[in-house]
Amino acid sequence: MPRDERFIERFSEHSRLIVPAAVSFRALMSGDGQAEVHAAEIARLEEEADKITRETVLAIHRTFVTPFDRSQILELITALDDTIDLMKDTGRRVIRYGVGFTPEMQGMADCAVRATTALRDAMPLLGSIDKSADNLSAMSVEVRRIESEADDLLDRGLKALFASGESPGTKLTIEKVYDLVEAVVDRCEDVVDVIDGIVVEQV
């Protein structure tokens, strides 16, 4: 019976691409004048991640024995891929809007770096869930704490925005950017949701 032992390896490879993408995303938010360069690097990493996603989906269909439920494998690789896809999309749209980056936006981008790093470090643990359940649970708590921090930064940034003298149109554009940046961190929490479900079923 066809058996593919590389699912955990693919998850780990994919997550190792998301971290430098998040670092480039944070650099894009720095306002260093190199936004196009950072966006291009995110796009390059996203293409590599897409290859791993395609390989994983194909492996689901051709493999009889999988480390856990096929639907969970698909959910996890999709959630990971959505994270880097959103970074690419957000980077392009932020450049298009041409808004200035606030400290709160930059702080939220920092949250994305920390959350993706936690995911990357935890991904190999899925190969031994019974032994790593506590560490995976700790990672889940940490990523959710980071996501909550990003929410607080969003609230603070929007409060300052609506109290400012910017025009209604400018306020709307900046609010869209805030929502996009915050959504990147939300996608990290989506990955955690899938991992939590896997751990519950496996332990």
Side-chain angles (χ1 to χ4, degrees), residues 67-126:
F68 35 84
D69 189 82
R70 296 166 193 278
S71 64
Q72 292 173 321
I73 292 173
L74 182 59
E75 282 184 74
L76 182 52
I77 198 64
T78 300
L80 285 167
D81 207 48
D82 285 348
T83 303
I84 194 168
D85 284 347
L86 188 58
M87 288 182 203
K88 183 180 79 169
D89 182 55
T90 298
R92 286 179 173 175
R93 292 176 69 176
V94 163
I95 292 171
R96 189 182 310 141
Y97 294 152
V99 302
F101 303 115
T102 66
E104 289 81 12
M105 289 178 190
Q106 293 163 349
M108 291 161 68
D110 282 334
C111 288
V113 173
R114 286 155 45 210
T116 54
T117 299
L119 290 172
R120 178 202 64 194
D121 293 345
M123 209 58 64
L125 301 179
L126 291 173

Side-chain angles (χ1 to χ4, degrees), residues 17-42:
L17 293 171
I18 292 177
V19 175
V23 171
S24 292
F25 183 69
R26 171 62 180 85
L28 189 153
M29 294 283 165
S30 70
D32 63 0
Q34 300 294 313
E36 294 285 355
V37 174
H38 301 313
E41 177 62 7
I42 296 170

